[in-house]
Amino acid sequence: MASAEPDTPDSPATYAASADKTNRVGRDPATPFRVSDLIDDRPNEGIFRVNRAIYRDRDLFDLEIEHVFERGWVFVGLSSQAEKPSDYFTAFIGRVPILVSRGSDGTLRCFVNVCPHKGVRLVRNVAGSSSRFVCPYHSWTFDSTGRNCSIKWKSSGCYSPAFDADDHNLCRVAQFGEYRGFLFASLSLDVPTLDDFLGEARKLIDLAVDKSPEGLELVPGRVRYTYAANWKMQLENCADAYHFTSTHPSYIKLLNRRAAEEAGDVVTATLGAADFWQEGAGGASGGSMSFEHGHVLNWGVMPVTSAHPDFERAEELAVKFGIAKRNWMFNMRNLTIFPNLQLAENASTQLRVIRPLAANLTEMQTWCIAPRGESGEARTMRIRQYEDFFNPTGMATPDDTVCYEEAQSGMAEQERPWLQGHARGSEVSVVGGNPFSEMIDLAPSYSVLSDSQLGDESLFRSYYRAWAERMTGALNG
Amino acid sequence: MDSLSAQEAAQFLYREAALLDERDFDGWLELFTPDCVFWMPAWRDDGTQTEDPDQELSLIYYQGRRNLEDRVRRIRSGLSVASAMLPRVCHLLGNVTIEQHEGRAQKVRSAFNINLQDVRTGRTHTYFGHYVHLLQAEGGNWRIARKVIYLLNDVIPTALDVYAI
C-alpha cells in the first residue's frame, strides 16, 4: 500500500523514526491488520488495552481515514456558517474537499467541492456568498443549488450523445443532515439515520443550544493549529479527567493567584469557582458517560456563579427548563461526537473540529461558541476566558499538545505494545446512567460517577469500539 | 520627549526585540505601561482580521501589564511542559515608520520576521507580520501603551507564546 504522507511542518526529523516500516508489531505486512491485535477488549476479564500501532502506523492511518472518516457520519459545520441564501462555506470530509451551500431556494446542500470536468477544487474560499461558482480552469459554472448552468462552448464541443446523457452537476454528498444547527455528512449512503447516529448525545447538544432562544453562534475569529501527533490523542484528551492537575499546574497556580487578588484588570476564570478538579474535593463531583456510536461526555459539577458568562441568564433558564437542566447547562461538559467534533464547556465554550492529516499530524480548527443575544459584557468575559485557556497562544492548550507530541514519540516503542492508559474506572463503570443523568432524562450506555481523583479512563473504550465498528471490512477479526 | 524620530523609534523596537531574544522578561515587562494593551487578532472566515477584541476572538488580548506578568510567571514556573525547554528565538524588524501622534503618544508601524528553533523537537518555524506600537512618554522614558501584532501565518504549529511574537 502506498503511503503519501505529508511531512510534519518544517523539519520532521524527530518523528521520522516512528514511521519506520520495518518496525511494525503484530502483523505480517502481506495481511490486513486484525482488530484483536490493535484493541484487546475482554470485558469479562477486566481488560481493555490499545496497541501503540493504532497511533503510529501509516497504512493503518490510510485505512482509518477511508473507513472512519470517509464512510461514516462526520461533523462538517454549523448552519449559521451559511445563514442567508447563496452563503457557503468549505470544509473537508477526510481528504475530500466539500462545499456546503445554501441555495437561492434557502435549502442547505452539501457537495463534493470538485468540478466534474477535470477534478479541480471548485471553491477555494473558506466562506462567502455567491450565486455562481465558476471553475477557474475551464469556466464550467454551477449555481448555488449545484446545478451546472454552463459548459463553456458546449455546442462547439462535438460531444458524443453519451457525454450529453451524463450528469454534469456538482456531486451531492451521499448523506447530509442537521441537528439544531449542527451539520453532519457522510460520503457513504450506508449509515444509520442522523438521529440514530447522535442518539442520546442530542440532549447534550441541546444543553449548548438551549442557552439562548435564538440558539448558538460562532464568535468571529477561527483559530487553527497543528500538532505533530495522532488525531486520537485529541479525541482522548478532551475526555481525560486524569490529566488536568498534572498537565496544567501552571494554569491552576494562576487561577489561585487571580482568585486571591480580585484585581479589576485580571481575566476571570470559570474553573476557579469549581472544585471537580481539586484534589481535596470529596463526594461525587463528576464523571463520564458513554453513548452508542462512540460519543462520550466527561463532566464535572460547576456552581452557578457570576464567574460563568451565562450567569446573566441563570434565572431565566431555570424558569424555562427547570433547575436540573439549568444546572447541567452550567456544569463542566466535554462532549465528543465521534469522530471529529468536540464541544468543550469548561473554562469557556469551545467548538473543535479534528482533522487528521497524517498518522503523526493533526490540524485543529477551533471557535468560541456563544449563545446568540447575550450581553456585550458576557460575550467579552467568555472571549477573555477562552483565549487564555483554549488558544494555542494561551496558557493551557500548549501543555496538552506538547504532551500529545511526546506521546507520539513514545508510540515507536515495540517491546511492550499495549498502553496502560485505558484502565482507570474499570470497576465502577456501570451499564446505564446514574442520578445525575436521570436529572435530565439522559440514558447513556455506560456511566461512571466519580470523585475528584478517579480520573475515569473507561469512557475511552467507547471511542475504540466505535472505531473498530467503522473499520469492519478493513480489518480482520 | 514630545516626539520620536523614525530612527529613535526603531532603536526602541530593536531593544524590545533584543530583550525577548535574550529572555530578559523583566526588562521586557518594564517597557509596558501598567494599563497597556497587548493584542494579537485572529482571522475571520472572510480572510480579514478581527477588529473588536471585546466581541470577536483574538489569539491574545490583554488589557493591563498584570496579565503579561502572568504569562511570564507561567513561562518561568517550571510547571508548564510547553515552556520547559524554551525555543531559541530571533526577531528581525524592519520597515519602521512613524505614523501619527495620538495625543501624547506616537504610533509606530513595523514589519517582523521571527525565526524559532524548537529545541524540544528539532523543528524550526517562522512567524511574520506587522506590529503597530503606540509609544507614550512616561517619567522620561518611552513606554508601550499598546502593541498590536498582526500575525500573517496564523496556522500555529503546536504552540506560540509571547516571547516568539
Side-chain angles (χ1 to χ4, degrees), chain A residues 289-330:
Chain A
M289 297 184 203
S290 310
F291 303 90
E292 294 290 307
H293 304 298
H295 317 315
V296 311
L297 176 75
N298 158 30
W299 69 277
V301 172
M302 287 228 276
V304 179
T305 72
S306 61
H308 204 296
D310 296 318
F311 189 68
E312 64 184 12
R313 298 196 201 227
E315 286 304 312
E316 176 194 329
L317 292 170
V319 168
K320 188 164 178 190
F321 297 107
I323 296 283
K325 183 168 173 181
R326 189 279 307 270
N327 287 356
W328 261 103
M329 288 174 167
F330 280 73

Short mmCIF file of all heavy atoms in Angstrom, two decimals, chain A residues 289-330:
data_model
loop_
_atom_site.label_atom_id
_atom_site.label_comp_id
_atom_site.label_asym_id
_atom_site.label_seq_id
_atom_site.Cartn_x
_atom_site.Cartn_y
_atom_site.Cartn_z
N MET A 289 -19.86 9.64 30.82
CA MET A 289 -20.96 8.90 30.20
C MET A 289 -20.54 8.53 28.80
O MET A 289 -19.85 9.29 28.12
CB MET A 289 -22.23 9.76 30.15
CG MET A 289 -22.75 10.14 31.51
SD MET A 289 -24.29 11.03 31.41
CE MET A 289 -24.23 11.89 32.98
N SER A 290 -20.95 7.34 28.39
CA SER A 290 -20.63 6.86 27.05
C SER A 290 -21.93 6.51 26.34
O SER A 290 -22.85 5.98 26.95
CB SER A 290 -19.77 5.61 27.11
OG SER A 290 -18.68 5.81 27.98
N PHE A 291 -21.93 6.81 25.05
CA PHE A 291 -23.14 6.61 24.26
C PHE A 291 -22.84 5.73 23.05
O PHE A 291 -21.68 5.50 22.71
CB PHE A 291 -23.68 7.98 23.80
CG PHE A 291 -23.95 8.91 24.95
CD1 PHE A 291 -22.95 9.76 25.42
CD2 PHE A 291 -25.17 8.90 25.60
CE1 PHE A 291 -23.18 10.60 26.50
CE2 PHE A 291 -25.41 9.74 26.68
CZ PHE A 291 -24.41 10.59 27.13
N GLU A 292 -23.91 5.28 22.41
CA GLU A 292 -23.76 4.50 21.18
C GLU A 292 -22.96 5.28 20.15
O GLU A 292 -22.98 6.51 20.15
CB GLU A 292 -25.15 4.21 20.58
CG GLU A 292 -26.03 3.31 21.41
CD GLU A 292 -25.53 1.87 21.42
OE1 GLU A 292 -25.34 1.33 20.32
OE2 GLU A 292 -25.34 1.33 22.52
N HIS A 293 -22.26 4.58 19.27
CA HIS A 293 -21.53 5.16 18.13
C HIS A 293 -20.32 6.00 18.54
O HIS A 293 -19.84 6.81 17.76
CB HIS A 293 -22.47 5.97 17.22
CG HIS A 293 -23.65 5.19 16.73
ND1 HIS A 293 -23.51 4.07 15.94
CD2 HIS A 293 -24.98 5.34 16.94
CE1 HIS A 293 -24.71 3.57 15.68
NE2 HIS A 293 -25.61 4.32 16.28
N GLY A 294 -19.85 5.84 19.78
CA GLY A 294 -18.56 6.43 20.15
C GLY A 294 -18.60 7.82 20.75
O GLY A 294 -17.55 8.43 20.97
N HIS A 295 -19.79 8.34 21.04
CA HIS A 295 -19.87 9.67 21.65
C HIS A 295 -19.65 9.55 23.16
O HIS A 295 -20.19 8.64 23.79
CB HIS A 295 -21.23 10.32 21.38
CG HIS A 295 -21.70 10.13 19.97
ND1 HIS A 295 -20.86 10.31 18.89
CD2 HIS A 295 -22.91 9.74 19.45
CE1 HIS A 295 -21.54 10.06 17.78
NE2 HIS A 295 -22.77 9.70 18.09
N VAL A 296 -18.87 10.46 23.73
CA VAL A 296 -18.63 10.39 25.18
C VAL A 296 -18.70 11.77 25.80
O VAL A 296 -18.47 12.79 25.15
CB VAL A 296 -17.26 9.74 25.54
CG1 VAL A 296 -17.04 8.43 24.79
CG2 VAL A 296 -16.11 10.67 25.31
N LEU A 297 -18.99 11.77 27.10
CA LEU A 297 -19.04 13.01 27.87
C LEU A 297 -18.18 12.85 29.12
O LEU A 297 -18.29 11.86 29.84
CB LEU A 297 -20.49 13.29 28.31
CG LEU A 297 -20.66 14.51 29.23
CD1 LEU A 297 -20.53 15.79 28.43
CD2 LEU A 297 -22.01 14.47 29.94
N ASN A 298 -17.34 13.85 29.35
CA ASN A 298 -16.59 13.95 30.60
C ASN A 298 -17.13 15.20 31.27
O ASN A 298 -17.17 16.27 30.65
CB ASN A 298 -15.10 14.08 30.22
CG ASN A 298 -14.24 14.70 31.31
OD1 ASN A 298 -14.52 14.56 32.48
ND2 ASN A 298 -13.18 15.38 30.89
N TRP A 299 -17.63 15.07 32.50
CA TRP A 299 -18.32 16.22 33.10
C TRP A 299 -17.94 16.41 34.56
O TRP A 299 -17.43 15.49 35.21
CB TRP A 299 -19.84 16.06 32.96
CG TRP A 299 -20.42 14.95 33.80
CD1 TRP A 299 -20.46 13.63 33.48
CD2 TRP A 299 -21.00 15.09 35.10
NE1 TRP A 299 -21.03 12.93 34.50
CE2 TRP A 299 -21.37 13.79 35.51
CE3 TRP A 299 -21.25 16.16 35.94
CZ2 TRP A 299 -21.98 13.54 36.74
CZ3 TRP A 299 -21.85 15.93 37.17
CH2 TRP A 299 -22.21 14.61 37.55
N GLY A 300 -18.19 17.62 35.06
CA GLY A 300 -17.93 17.91 36.45
C GLY A 300 -18.92 18.96 36.95
O GLY A 300 -19.39 19.80 36.18
N VAL A 301 -19.24 18.90 38.22
CA VAL A 301 -20.18 19.87 38.80
C VAL A 301 -19.51 21.24 38.83
O VAL A 301 -18.39 21.38 39.30
CB VAL A 301 -20.59 19.45 40.22
CG1 VAL A 301 -21.39 20.56 40.89
CG2 VAL A 301 -21.40 18.16 40.18
N MET A 302 -20.19 22.24 38.30
CA MET A 302 -19.72 23.62 38.43
C MET A 302 -20.86 24.44 39.02
O MET A 302 -22.02 24.31 38.59
CB MET A 302 -19.31 24.20 37.09
CG MET A 302 -18.01 23.64 36.59
SD MET A 302 -16.84 24.88 36.02
CE MET A 302 -17.38 25.15 34.37
N PRO A 303 -20.55 25.26 40.00
CA PRO A 303 -21.61 26.05 40.62
C PRO A 303 -22.12 27.14 39.68
O PRO A 303 -21.41 27.55 38.76
CB PRO A 303 -20.92 26.67 41.84
CG PRO A 303 -19.47 26.70 41.49
CD PRO A 303 -19.23 25.53 40.58
N VAL A 304 -23.34 27.58 39.92
CA VAL A 304 -23.93 28.66 39.14
C VAL A 304 -23.47 29.98 39.77
O VAL A 304 -24.05 30.44 40.75
CB VAL A 304 -25.48 28.55 39.14
CG1 VAL A 304 -26.10 29.69 38.35
CG2 VAL A 304 -25.90 27.20 38.57
N THR A 305 -22.37 30.54 39.25
CA THR A 305 -21.82 31.76 39.85
C THR A 305 -21.58 32.82 38.78
O THR A 305 -21.63 32.54 37.59
CB THR A 305 -20.45 31.51 40.53
OG1 THR A 305 -19.47 31.30 39.49
CG2 THR A 305 -20.47 30.31 41.44
N SER A 306 -21.27 34.01 39.26
CA SER A 306 -21.04 35.13 38.35
C SER A 306 -19.73 34.98 37.58
O SER A 306 -19.45 35.77 36.68
CB SER A 306 -21.04 36.45 39.12
OG SER A 306 -20.01 36.42 40.09
N ALA A 307 -18.90 33.98 37.92
CA ALA A 307 -17.68 33.74 37.14
C ALA A 307 -18.02 33.08 35.80
O ALA A 307 -17.16 32.92 34.93
CB ALA A 307 -16.71 32.85 37.92
N HIS A 308 -19.29 32.67 35.65
CA HIS A 308 -19.74 31.98 34.45
C HIS A 308 -20.41 32.99 33.51
O HIS A 308 -21.30 33.72 33.94
CB HIS A 308 -20.75 30.90 34.87
CG HIS A 308 -20.87 29.78 33.90
ND1 HIS A 308 -21.34 29.97 32.64
CD2 HIS A 308 -20.58 28.46 34.01
CE1 HIS A 308 -21.34 28.80 32.00
NE2 HIS A 308 -20.88 27.87 32.82
N PRO A 309 -20.00 33.04 32.24
CA PRO A 309 -20.59 34.05 31.34
C PRO A 309 -22.08 33.88 31.12
O PRO A 309 -22.75 34.84 30.71
CB PRO A 309 -19.81 33.88 30.03
CG PRO A 309 -18.95 32.68 30.18
CD PRO A 309 -18.90 32.30 31.61
N ASP A 310 -22.64 32.70 31.42
CA ASP A 310 -24.09 32.52 31.24
C ASP A 310 -24.89 32.93 32.47
O ASP A 310 -26.12 32.76 32.48
CB ASP A 310 -24.40 31.04 30.90
CG ASP A 310 -23.79 30.63 29.57
OD1 ASP A 310 -23.86 31.43 28.62
OD2 ASP A 310 -23.22 29.53 29.49
N PHE A 311 -24.20 33.46 33.49
CA PHE A 311 -24.88 33.77 34.75
C PHE A 311 -26.04 34.74 34.56
O PHE A 311 -27.05 34.65 35.24
CB PHE A 311 -23.88 34.34 35.76
CG PHE A 311 -24.43 34.50 37.14
CD1 PHE A 311 -24.75 33.39 37.91
CD2 PHE A 311 -24.64 35.77 37.68
CE1 PHE A 311 -25.27 33.52 39.19
CE2 PHE A 311 -25.16 35.91 38.97
CZ PHE A 311 -25.47 34.79 39.71
N GLU A 312 -25.91 35.66 33.60
CA GLU A 312 -26.97 36.66 33.38
C GLU A 312 -28.30 36.00 33.01
O GLU A 312 -29.35 36.62 33.17
CB GLU A 312 -26.55 37.67 32.31
CG GLU A 312 -26.37 37.05 30.92
CD GLU A 312 -25.87 38.05 29.88
OE1 GLU A 312 -25.46 39.14 30.27
OE2 GLU A 312 -25.91 37.71 28.69
N ARG A 313 -28.25 34.76 32.50
CA ARG A 313 -29.50 34.07 32.12
C ARG A 313 -29.87 32.96 33.10
O ARG A 313 -30.77 32.17 32.81
CB ARG A 313 -29.35 33.46 30.74
CG ARG A 313 -29.10 34.46 29.64
CD ARG A 313 -29.36 33.80 28.30
NE ARG A 313 -28.67 34.52 27.24
CZ ARG A 313 -29.25 34.86 26.10
NH1 ARG A 313 -30.51 34.59 25.89
NH2 ARG A 313 -28.56 35.49 25.17
N ALA A 314 -29.17 32.89 34.22
CA ALA A 314 -29.36 31.75 35.13
C ALA A 314 -30.82 31.61 35.57
O ALA A 314 -31.38 30.50 35.54
CB ALA A 314 -28.44 31.88 36.34
N GLU A 315 -31.43 32.72 35.95
CA GLU A 315 -32.82 32.66 36.43
C GLU A 315 -33.76 32.30 35.30
O GLU A 315 -34.62 31.42 35.43
CB GLU A 315 -33.22 34.02 37.02
CG GLU A 315 -32.60 34.29 38.38
CD GLU A 315 -32.95 33.20 39.40
OE1 GLU A 315 -34.14 32.83 39.49
OE2 GLU A 315 -32.02 32.68 40.05
N GLU A 316 -33.59 32.98 34.20
CA GLU A 316 -34.44 32.77 33.02
C GLU A 316 -34.40 31.30 32.57
O GLU A 316 -35.43 30.70 32.26
CB GLU A 316 -33.91 33.71 31.93
CG GLU A 316 -34.56 33.63 30.59
CD GLU A 316 -33.70 34.37 29.53
OE1 GLU A 316 -33.03 35.38 29.88
OE2 GLU A 316 -33.70 33.93 28.38
N LEU A 317 -33.20 30.72 32.56
CA LEU A 317 -33.05 29.34 32.11
C LEU A 317 -33.68 28.36 33.11
O LEU A 317 -34.26 27.34 32.71
CB LEU A 317 -31.56 28.99 31.90
CG LEU A 317 -30.89 29.72 30.74
CD1 LEU A 317 -29.37 29.51 30.77
CD2 LEU A 317 -31.46 29.26 29.39
N ALA A 318 -33.60 28.69 34.40
CA ALA A 318 -34.21 27.83 35.41
C ALA A 318 -35.73 27.84 35.27
O ALA A 318 -36.39 26.80 35.39
CB ALA A 318 -33.79 28.29 36.80
N VAL A 319 -36.28 29.01 34.98
CA VAL A 319 -37.73 29.11 34.82
C VAL A 319 -38.17 28.33 33.57
O VAL A 319 -39.14 27.59 33.59
CB VAL A 319 -38.16 30.60 34.72
CG1 VAL A 319 -39.61 30.72 34.27
CG2 VAL A 319 -37.93 31.30 36.06
N LYS A 320 -37.40 28.47 32.52
CA LYS A 320 -37.79 27.87 31.25
C LYS A 320 -37.60 26.35 31.23
O LYS A 320 -38.44 25.62 30.72
CB LYS A 320 -36.98 28.51 30.12
CG LYS A 320 -37.45 28.11 28.74
CD LYS A 320 -36.89 29.03 27.68
CE LYS A 320 -37.33 28.58 26.30
NZ LYS A 320 -36.62 29.29 25.24
N PHE A 321 -36.47 25.88 31.80
CA PHE A 321 -36.13 24.46 31.65
C PHE A 321 -36.13 23.68 32.97
O PHE A 321 -35.93 22.47 32.97
CB PHE A 321 -34.75 24.32 31.00
CG PHE A 321 -34.68 24.88 29.62
CD1 PHE A 321 -34.00 26.07 29.37
CD2 PHE A 321 -35.30 24.23 28.56
CE1 PHE A 321 -33.95 26.60 28.09
CE2 PHE A 321 -35.24 24.76 27.27
CZ PHE A 321 -34.56 25.95 27.04
N GLY A 322 -36.32 24.38 34.09
CA GLY A 322 -36.22 23.71 35.39
C GLY A 322 -34.80 23.79 35.91
O GLY A 322 -33.85 23.96 35.15
N ILE A 323 -34.68 23.64 37.23
CA ILE A 323 -33.37 23.79 37.89
C ILE A 323 -32.37 22.74 37.39
O ILE A 323 -31.20 23.03 37.16
CB ILE A 323 -33.53 23.66 39.43
CG1 ILE A 323 -34.39 24.81 39.97
CG2 ILE A 323 -32.17 23.64 40.12
CD1 ILE A 323 -33.69 26.13 40.09
N ALA A 324 -32.84 21.50 37.22
CA ALA A 324 -31.91 20.42 36.89
C ALA A 324 -31.22 20.67 35.55
O ALA A 324 -30.00 20.61 35.44
CB ALA A 324 -32.65 19.09 36.86
N LYS A 325 -32.02 20.99 34.54
CA LYS A 325 -31.41 21.21 33.22
C LYS A 325 -30.57 22.48 33.23
O LYS A 325 -29.49 22.51 32.63
CB LYS A 325 -32.50 21.29 32.13
CG LYS A 325 -31.90 21.45 30.74
CD LYS A 325 -32.93 21.25 29.63
CE LYS A 325 -32.31 21.60 28.28
NZ LYS A 325 -33.26 21.46 27.17
N ARG A 326 -31.04 23.51 33.95
CA ARG A 326 -30.25 24.74 34.05
C ARG A 326 -28.88 24.43 34.69
O ARG A 326 -27.83 24.88 34.20
CB ARG A 326 -31.01 25.78 34.87
CG ARG A 326 -30.39 27.19 34.89
CD ARG A 326 -29.25 27.39 35.86
NE ARG A 326 -29.50 27.01 37.23
CZ ARG A 326 -30.00 27.83 38.15
NH1 ARG A 326 -30.31 29.06 37.85
NH2 ARG A 326 -30.16 27.38 39.40
N ASN A 327 -28.89 23.68 35.77
CA ASN A 327 -27.62 23.36 36.43
C ASN A 327 -26.69 22.57 35.50
O ASN A 327 -25.48 22.77 35.50
CB ASN A 327 -27.87 22.59 37.72
CG ASN A 327 -28.43 23.50 38.82
OD1 ASN A 327 -28.55 24.71 38.62
ND2 ASN A 327 -28.77 22.91 39.95
N TRP A 328 -27.27 21.67 34.73
CA TRP A 328 -26.46 20.93 33.76
C TRP A 328 -25.85 21.86 32.71
O TRP A 328 -24.76 21.63 32.21
CB TRP A 328 -27.28 19.84 33.07
CG TRP A 328 -27.04 18.48 33.69
CD1 TRP A 328 -27.84 17.81 34.55
CD2 TRP A 328 -25.88 17.65 33.48
NE1 TRP A 328 -27.27 16.61 34.90
CE2 TRP A 328 -26.08 16.49 34.26
CE3 TRP A 328 -24.73 17.77 32.71
CZ2 TRP A 328 -25.14 15.45 34.29
CZ3 TRP A 328 -23.79 16.74 32.74
CH2 TRP A 328 -24.00 15.59 33.53
N MET A 329 -26.56 22.93 32.36
CA MET A 329 -26.01 23.90 31.40
C MET A 329 -24.78 24.60 31.97
O MET A 329 -23.93 25.07 31.22
CB MET A 329 -27.07 24.95 31.04
CG MET A 329 -28.18 24.42 30.17
SD MET A 329 -29.45 25.70 29.97
CE MET A 329 -30.41 25.01 28.63
N PHE A 330 -24.70 24.68 33.30
CA PHE A 330 -23.55 25.34 33.94
C PHE A 330 -22.44 24.35 34.29
O PHE A 330 -21.32 24.77 34.59
CB PHE A 330 -24.01 26.10 35.20
CG PHE A 330 -24.64 27.43 34.89
CD1 PHE A 330 -25.90 27.50 34.33
CD2 PHE A 330 -23.95 28.61 35.13
CE1 PHE A 330 -26.48 28.73 34.01
CE2 PHE A 330 -24.51 29.84 34.82
CZ PHE A 330 -25.78 29.90 34.26
#
